[in-house]
Amino acid sequence: MPEWLYEDGIGEARAALVADGRILEAAIALPDPLPLDTVARARLIELTGGGMGRLDIGGSEAVIARIPPGVTKGASLTVRISREAIPEPGRAKPPRAVASDDAPAPGPTLLDRLTASGWPVRILRAHEPDALEAAGWSELLDEAISGAIVFPLGCLRLSPTPAMTLFDVDGPPPLEPLALAAARAVALAIRRHGIGGSIGIDFPTLANKAARAAVAEAIDAALPQPFERTAVNGFGFLQIVRPRPRASLPELLRDDPVGAATRALLRRLEREPPGSPLRHRLPPAIHARLMSRPDWRDALARRTGVTHILDSV
């Protein structure tokens, strides 16, 4: 039976749904003042046209697509966060909100979400065997950051863009088996990395209409609902649209690669013996980030008993 593995890490909470020793789904939650399904009082600070506006929610900005009748600039209203902030190069998308009649309440934490999923949840500790790593956690992070995903007959290249997340399929002939294997690999990667919104897949060009239909059916068989898709067109392109309530792992990690690398290192430091050289030789960018985050250093000291300053290489 699949099981959620959960860690309350330094600077992030992380989790993976694991079955038969491999990761089916994964999540990283950074501290967020407005997580999904937060209900809060807001103030309308700008009318942006078309019934839309900008909100101030406790000092954080959000957008609302439909301002309720009678609500004017400067007025207060209660809203629910319907989509978390999405990082994008050059222009991050702020959280999206909708008007709500519910009482203000914080949004669920990652652990709350896992508990509500129906799958069992195991909370991991740093002194225990590293179950996340055994399931492929480091490889998952490498996939998200590099975009390179290997499958038995070829490889995928994952590329988040402002318009959509793209998958390019590469591999040797014969092309029909390659495309079928790639369809399953893409579906598994979409689920594993929590990719939503518009997704484009560039398969090898298949002249056979039946082969193109089989590729689309392979997507249907491997990717859980809800989603919508097109057929594979004559140029080998298929588009999928999924709900996008929060950033995918590639979007989250690529938005702040130094922060992501620092948090991954902190995870390793929690498991290293006190005399490990890893504690003394850090890349300059990671060392600088640690020096800028006394809260992370204090948390590491509490968890490991190590209080000295970590040095740069």
Side-chain angles (χ1 to χ4, degrees), residues 175-203:
L175 297 184
E176 289 187 19
L178 171 63
L180 282 171
R184 174 172 169 77
V186 168
L188 295 178
I190 290 170
R191 182 183 181 191
R192 189 164 61 245
H193 290 281
I195 299 171
S198 185
I199 303 163
I201 311 166
D202 187 17
F203 289 104

PDB file of all heavy atoms in Angstrom, residues 175-203:
ATOM      1  N   LEU A 175      10.112   4.350 -33.400  1.00  0.00           N
ATOM      2  CA  LEU A 175       9.485   5.494 -32.752  1.00  0.00           C
ATOM      3  C   LEU A 175       8.191   5.157 -32.009  1.00  0.00           C
ATOM      4  O   LEU A 175       7.877   5.803 -31.011  1.00  0.00           O
ATOM      5  CB  LEU A 175       9.198   6.576 -33.803  1.00  0.00           C
ATOM      6  CG  LEU A 175      10.445   7.165 -34.483  1.00  0.00           C
ATOM      7  CD1 LEU A 175      10.030   8.288 -35.428  1.00  0.00           C
ATOM      8  CD2 LEU A 175      11.448   7.672 -33.449  1.00  0.00           C
ATOM      9  N   GLU A 176       7.443   4.158 -32.477  1.00  0.00           N
ATOM     10  CA  GLU A 176       6.178   3.856 -31.800  1.00  0.00           C
ATOM     11  C   GLU A 176       6.402   3.353 -30.379  1.00  0.00           C
ATOM     12  O   GLU A 176       5.775   3.862 -29.429  1.00  0.00           O
ATOM     13  CB  GLU A 176       5.351   2.874 -32.630  1.00  0.00           C
ATOM     14  CG  GLU A 176       4.784   3.512 -33.891  1.00  0.00           C
ATOM     15  CD  GLU A 176       3.823   2.588 -34.628  1.00  0.00           C
ATOM     16  OE1 GLU A 176       3.323   1.620 -34.006  1.00  0.00           O
ATOM     17  OE2 GLU A 176       3.566   2.829 -35.821  1.00  0.00           O
ATOM     18  N   PRO A 177       7.288   2.365 -30.148  1.00  0.00           N
ATOM     19  CA  PRO A 177       7.539   1.958 -28.766  1.00  0.00           C
ATOM     20  C   PRO A 177       8.130   3.081 -27.924  1.00  0.00           C
ATOM     21  O   PRO A 177       7.827   3.203 -26.739  1.00  0.00           O
ATOM     22  CB  PRO A 177       8.512   0.786 -28.891  1.00  0.00           C
ATOM     23  CG  PRO A 177       8.510   0.394 -30.304  1.00  0.00           C
ATOM     24  CD  PRO A 177       7.969   1.510 -31.111  1.00  0.00           C
ATOM     25  N   LEU A 178       8.979   3.922 -28.540  1.00  0.00           N
ATOM     26  CA  LEU A 178       9.554   5.053 -27.825  1.00  0.00           C
ATOM     27  C   LEU A 178       8.455   5.995 -27.349  1.00  0.00           C
ATOM     28  O   LEU A 178       8.446   6.427 -26.179  1.00  0.00           O
ATOM     29  CB  LEU A 178      10.523   5.801 -28.736  1.00  0.00           C
ATOM     30  CG  LEU A 178      11.054   7.142 -28.212  1.00  0.00           C
ATOM     31  CD1 LEU A 178      11.879   6.946 -26.948  1.00  0.00           C
ATOM     32  CD2 LEU A 178      11.862   7.854 -29.301  1.00  0.00           C
ATOM     33  N   ALA A 179       7.513   6.328 -28.230  1.00  0.00           N
ATOM     34  CA  ALA A 179       6.449   7.256 -27.872  1.00  0.00           C
ATOM     35  C   ALA A 179       5.539   6.678 -26.794  1.00  0.00           C
ATOM     36  O   ALA A 179       5.112   7.394 -25.875  1.00  0.00           O
ATOM     37  CB  ALA A 179       5.637   7.622 -29.111  1.00  0.00           C
ATOM     38  N   LEU A 180       5.237   5.378 -26.868  1.00  0.00           N
ATOM     39  CA  LEU A 180       4.393   4.750 -25.847  1.00  0.00           C
ATOM     40  C   LEU A 180       5.080   4.767 -24.485  1.00  0.00           C
ATOM     41  O   LEU A 180       4.465   5.087 -23.454  1.00  0.00           O
ATOM     42  CB  LEU A 180       4.050   3.318 -26.249  1.00  0.00           C
ATOM     43  CG  LEU A 180       2.953   3.157 -27.299  1.00  0.00           C
ATOM     44  CD1 LEU A 180       2.881   1.705 -27.761  1.00  0.00           C
ATOM     45  CD2 LEU A 180       1.604   3.597 -26.720  1.00  0.00           C
ATOM     46  N   ALA A 181       6.373   4.429 -24.458  1.00  0.00           N
ATOM     47  CA  ALA A 181       7.113   4.448 -23.193  1.00  0.00           C
ATOM     48  C   ALA A 181       7.220   5.873 -22.661  1.00  0.00           C
ATOM     49  O   ALA A 181       7.124   6.112 -21.452  1.00  0.00           O
ATOM     50  CB  ALA A 181       8.500   3.838 -23.387  1.00  0.00           C
ATOM     51  N   ALA A 182       7.405   6.827 -23.568  1.00  0.00           N
ATOM     52  CA  ALA A 182       7.512   8.223 -23.151  1.00  0.00           C
ATOM     53  C   ALA A 182       6.193   8.726 -22.564  1.00  0.00           C
ATOM     54  O   ALA A 182       6.195   9.512 -21.612  1.00  0.00           O
ATOM     55  CB  ALA A 182       7.924   9.092 -24.330  1.00  0.00           C
ATOM     56  N   ALA A 183       5.069   8.288 -23.125  1.00  0.00           N
ATOM     57  CA  ALA A 183       3.769   8.723 -22.615  1.00  0.00           C
ATOM     58  C   ALA A 183       3.608   8.322 -21.154  1.00  0.00           C
ATOM     59  O   ALA A 183       3.178   9.125 -20.313  1.00  0.00           O
ATOM     60  CB  ALA A 183       2.648   8.126 -23.455  1.00  0.00           C
ATOM     61  N   ARG A 184       3.977   7.093 -20.837  1.00  0.00           N
ATOM     62  CA  ARG A 184       3.895   6.654 -19.437  1.00  0.00           C
ATOM     63  C   ARG A 184       4.888   7.432 -18.576  1.00  0.00           C
ATOM     64  O   ARG A 184       4.553   7.853 -17.462  1.00  0.00           O
ATOM     65  CB  ARG A 184       4.163   5.151 -19.346  1.00  0.00           C
ATOM     66  CG  ARG A 184       4.243   4.646 -17.909  1.00  0.00           C
ATOM     67  CD  ARG A 184       4.312   3.129 -17.831  1.00  0.00           C
ATOM     68  NE  ARG A 184       4.635   2.676 -16.501  1.00  0.00           N
ATOM     69  CZ  ARG A 184       3.780   2.638 -15.488  1.00  0.00           C
ATOM     70  NH1 ARG A 184       2.532   3.037 -15.680  1.00  0.00           N
ATOM     71  NH2 ARG A 184       4.157   2.215 -14.298  1.00  0.00           N
ATOM     72  N   ALA A 185       6.099   7.641 -19.077  1.00  0.00           N
ATOM     73  CA  ALA A 185       7.116   8.357 -18.309  1.00  0.00           C
ATOM     74  C   ALA A 185       6.678   9.791 -18.019  1.00  0.00           C
ATOM     75  O   ALA A 185       6.885  10.317 -16.924  1.00  0.00           O
ATOM     76  CB  ALA A 185       8.450   8.340 -19.047  1.00  0.00           C
ATOM     77  N   VAL A 186       6.074  10.448 -19.011  1.00  0.00           N
ATOM     78  CA  VAL A 186       5.589  11.815 -18.814  1.00  0.00           C
ATOM     79  C   VAL A 186       4.481  11.839 -17.763  1.00  0.00           C
ATOM     80  O   VAL A 186       4.473  12.691 -16.865  1.00  0.00           O
ATOM     81  CB  VAL A 186       5.096  12.430 -20.136  1.00  0.00           C
ATOM     82  CG1 VAL A 186       4.330  13.717 -19.878  1.00  0.00           C
ATOM     83  CG2 VAL A 186       6.266  12.689 -21.069  1.00  0.00           C
ATOM     84  N   ALA A 187       3.525  10.921 -17.867  1.00  0.00           N
ATOM     85  CA  ALA A 187       2.424  10.886 -16.907  1.00  0.00           C
ATOM     86  C   ALA A 187       2.941  10.697 -15.487  1.00  0.00           C
ATOM     87  O   ALA A 187       2.488  11.369 -14.545  1.00  0.00           O
ATOM     88  CB  ALA A 187       1.445   9.772 -17.278  1.00  0.00           C
ATOM     89  N   LEU A 188       3.895   9.786 -15.315  1.00  0.00           N
ATOM     90  CA  LEU A 188       4.454   9.556 -13.985  1.00  0.00           C
ATOM     91  C   LEU A 188       5.199  10.788 -13.483  1.00  0.00           C
ATOM     92  O   LEU A 188       5.134  11.129 -12.294  1.00  0.00           O
ATOM     93  CB  LEU A 188       5.386   8.344 -14.008  1.00  0.00           C
ATOM     94  CG  LEU A 188       4.732   6.988 -14.313  1.00  0.00           C
ATOM     95  CD1 LEU A 188       5.787   5.897 -14.361  1.00  0.00           C
ATOM     96  CD2 LEU A 188       3.661   6.659 -13.276  1.00  0.00           C
ATOM     97  N   ALA A 189       5.922  11.474 -14.374  1.00  0.00           N
ATOM     98  CA  ALA A 189       6.673  12.674 -13.981  1.00  0.00           C
ATOM     99  C   ALA A 189       5.730  13.810 -13.596  1.00  0.00           C
ATOM    100  O   ALA A 189       6.000  14.558 -12.651  1.00  0.00           O
ATOM    101  CB  ALA A 189       7.602  13.109 -15.109  1.00  0.00           C
ATOM    102  N   ILE A 190       4.638  13.970 -14.328  1.00  0.00           N
ATOM    103  CA  ILE A 190       3.657  15.007 -14.003  1.00  0.00           C
ATOM    104  C   ILE A 190       3.131  14.798 -12.586  1.00  0.00           C
ATOM    105  O   ILE A 190       3.059  15.738 -11.777  1.00  0.00           O
ATOM    106  CB  ILE A 190       2.502  15.009 -15.020  1.00  0.00           C
ATOM    107  CG1 ILE A 190       2.986  15.527 -16.371  1.00  0.00           C
ATOM    108  CG2 ILE A 190       1.329  15.854 -14.523  1.00  0.00           C
ATOM    109  CD1 ILE A 190       1.977  15.349 -17.493  1.00  0.00           C
ATOM    110  N   ARG A 191       2.787  13.567 -12.273  1.00  0.00           N
ATOM    111  CA  ARG A 191       2.271  13.268 -10.936  1.00  0.00           C
ATOM    112  C   ARG A 191       3.370  13.430  -9.888  1.00  0.00           C
ATOM    113  O   ARG A 191       3.150  14.019  -8.835  1.00  0.00           O
ATOM    114  CB  ARG A 191       1.709  11.844 -10.899  1.00  0.00           C
ATOM    115  CG  ARG A 191       1.103  11.483  -9.547  1.00  0.00           C
ATOM    116  CD  ARG A 191       0.627  10.049  -9.499  1.00  0.00           C
ATOM    117  NE  ARG A 191       0.021   9.734  -8.216  1.00  0.00           N
ATOM    118  CZ  ARG A 191      -0.300   8.511  -7.816  1.00  0.00           C
ATOM    119  NH1 ARG A 191      -0.080   7.460  -8.632  1.00  0.00           N
ATOM    120  NH2 ARG A 191      -0.840   8.312  -6.625  1.00  0.00           N
ATOM    121  N   ARG A 192       4.544  12.919 -10.193  1.00  0.00           N
ATOM    122  CA  ARG A 192       5.648  12.925  -9.217  1.00  0.00           C
ATOM    123  C   ARG A 192       6.045  14.342  -8.823  1.00  0.00           C
ATOM    124  O   ARG A 192       6.345  14.620  -7.660  1.00  0.00           O
ATOM    125  CB  ARG A 192       6.830  12.185  -9.830  1.00  0.00           C
ATOM    126  CG  ARG A 192       7.981  11.908  -8.913  1.00  0.00           C
ATOM    127  CD  ARG A 192       8.894  10.848  -9.491  1.00  0.00           C
ATOM    128  NE  ARG A 192       9.507  11.205 -10.759  1.00  0.00           N
ATOM    129  CZ  ARG A 192       9.285  10.596 -11.918  1.00  0.00           C
ATOM    130  NH1 ARG A 192       8.418   9.592 -11.986  1.00  0.00           N
ATOM    131  NH2 ARG A 192       9.906  10.968 -13.023  1.00  0.00           N
ATOM    132  N   HIS A 193       6.037  15.252  -9.797  1.00  0.00           N
ATOM    133  CA  HIS A 193       6.496  16.615  -9.550  1.00  0.00           C
ATOM    134  C   HIS A 193       5.360  17.608  -9.306  1.00  0.00           C
ATOM    135  O   HIS A 193       5.612  18.807  -9.170  1.00  0.00           O
ATOM    136  CB  HIS A 193       7.346  17.089 -10.724  1.00  0.00           C
ATOM    137  CG  HIS A 193       8.672  16.395 -10.813  1.00  0.00           C
ATOM    138  ND1 HIS A 193       9.738  16.731 -10.021  1.00  0.00           N
ATOM    139  CD2 HIS A 193       9.098  15.362 -11.583  1.00  0.00           C
ATOM    140  CE1 HIS A 193      10.772  15.956 -10.303  1.00  0.00           C
ATOM    141  NE2 HIS A 193      10.408  15.109 -11.253  1.00  0.00           N
ATOM    142  N   GLY A 194       4.111  17.126  -9.264  1.00  0.00           N
ATOM    143  CA  GLY A 194       2.990  18.009  -8.969  1.00  0.00           C
ATOM    144  C   GLY A 194       2.791  19.097 -10.006  1.00  0.00           C
ATOM    145  O   GLY A 194       2.513  20.254  -9.670  1.00  0.00           O
ATOM    146  N   ILE A 195       2.900  18.749 -11.281  1.00  0.00           N
ATOM    147  CA  ILE A 195       2.829  19.740 -12.354  1.00  0.00           C
ATOM    148  C   ILE A 195       1.372  19.961 -12.758  1.00  0.00           C
ATOM    149  O   ILE A 195       0.640  19.010 -13.059  1.00  0.00           O
ATOM    150  CB  ILE A 195       3.649  19.280 -13.573  1.00  0.00           C
ATOM    151  CG1 ILE A 195       5.119  19.131 -13.172  1.00  0.00           C
ATOM    152  CG2 ILE A 195       3.508  20.266 -14.725  1.00  0.00           C
ATOM    153  CD1 ILE A 195       5.975  18.476 -14.231  1.00  0.00           C
ATOM    154  N   GLY A 196       0.962  21.219 -12.747  1.00  0.00           N
ATOM    155  CA  GLY A 196      -0.395  21.561 -13.145  1.00  0.00           C
ATOM    156  C   GLY A 196      -0.392  22.627 -14.218  1.00  0.00           C
ATOM    157  O   GLY A 196       0.646  23.018 -14.746  1.00  0.00           O
ATOM    158  N   GLY A 197      -1.578  23.113 -14.546  1.00  0.00           N
ATOM    159  CA  GLY A 197      -1.710  24.120 -15.589  1.00  0.00           C
ATOM    160  C   GLY A 197      -1.628  23.493 -16.965  1.00  0.00           C
ATOM    161  O   GLY A 197      -2.001  22.338 -17.180  1.00  0.00           O
ATOM    162  N   SER A 198      -1.102  24.242 -17.925  1.00  0.00           N
ATOM    163  CA  SER A 198      -0.978  23.772 -19.300  1.00  0.00           C
ATOM    164  C   SER A 198       0.355  23.037 -19.468  1.00  0.00           C
ATOM    165  O   SER A 198       1.404  23.547 -19.072  1.00  0.00           O
ATOM    166  CB  SER A 198      -1.060  24.954 -20.255  1.00  0.00           C
ATOM    167  OG  SER A 198      -1.060  24.520 -21.596  1.00  0.00           O
ATOM    168  N   ILE A 199       0.292  21.855 -20.058  1.00  0.00           N
ATOM    169  CA  ILE A 199       1.468  20.994 -20.234  1.00  0.00           C
ATOM    170  C   ILE A 199       1.514  20.559 -21.686  1.00  0.00           C
ATOM    171  O   ILE A 199       0.521  20.039 -22.223  1.00  0.00           O
ATOM    172  CB  ILE A 199       1.378  19.748 -19.323  1.00  0.00           C
ATOM    173  CG1 ILE A 199       1.227  20.161 -17.853  1.00  0.00           C
ATOM    174  CG2 ILE A 199       2.601  18.853 -19.506  1.00  0.00           C
ATOM    175  CD1 ILE A 199       0.734  19.036 -16.949  1.00  0.00           C
ATOM    176  N   GLY A 200       2.643  20.758 -22.336  1.00  0.00           N
ATOM    177  CA  GLY A 200       2.813  20.327 -23.719  1.00  0.00           C
ATOM    178  C   GLY A 200       3.848  19.219 -23.823  1.00  0.00           C
ATOM    179  O   GLY A 200       4.877  19.265 -23.150  1.00  0.00           O
ATOM    180  N   ILE A 201       3.564  18.223 -24.660  1.00  0.00           N
ATOM    181  CA  ILE A 201       4.476  17.086 -24.847  1.00  0.00           C
ATOM    182  C   ILE A 201       4.789  16.961 -26.333  1.00  0.00           C
ATOM    183  O   ILE A 201       3.878  16.824 -27.157  1.00  0.00           O
ATOM    184  CB  ILE A 201       3.855  15.775 -24.333  1.00  0.00           C
ATOM    185  CG1 ILE A 201       3.289  15.952 -22.930  1.00  0.00           C
ATOM    186  CG2 ILE A 201       4.889  14.652 -24.349  1.00  0.00           C
ATOM    187  CD1 ILE A 201       2.371  14.826 -22.488  1.00  0.00           C
ATOM    188  N   ASP A 202       6.074  16.995 -26.638  1.00  0.00           N
ATOM    189  CA  ASP A 202       6.524  16.878 -28.026  1.00  0.00           C
ATOM    190  C   ASP A 202       7.020  15.454 -28.250  1.00  0.00           C
ATOM    191  O   ASP A 202       8.169  15.126 -27.976  1.00  0.00           O
ATOM    192  CB  ASP A 202       7.640  17.885 -28.300  1.00  0.00           C
ATOM    193  CG  ASP A 202       8.035  17.928 -29.765  1.00  0.00           C
ATOM    194  OD1 ASP A 202       7.253  17.438 -30.603  1.00  0.00           O
ATOM    195  OD2 ASP A 202       9.132  18.440 -30.068  1.00  0.00           O
ATOM    196  N   PHE A 203       6.129  14.604 -28.742  1.00  0.00           N
ATOM    197  CA  PHE A 203       6.468  13.218 -29.044  1.00  0.00           C
ATOM    198  C   PHE A 203       7.142  13.125 -30.420  1.00  0.00           C
ATOM    199  O   PHE A 203       7.040  14.057 -31.231  1.00  0.00           O
ATOM    200  CB  PHE A 203       5.203  12.353 -29.063  1.00  0.00           C
ATOM    201  CG  PHE A 203       4.577  12.117 -27.718  1.00  0.00           C
ATOM    202  CD1 PHE A 203       3.421  12.799 -27.347  1.00  0.00           C
ATOM    203  CD2 PHE A 203       5.136  11.218 -26.830  1.00  0.00           C
ATOM    204  CE1 PHE A 203       2.823  12.574 -26.117  1.00  0.00           C
ATOM    205  CE2 PHE A 203       4.547  10.988 -25.596  1.00  0.00           C
ATOM    206  CZ  PHE A 203       3.396  11.670 -25.233  1.00  0.00           C
TER     207      PHE A 203
END
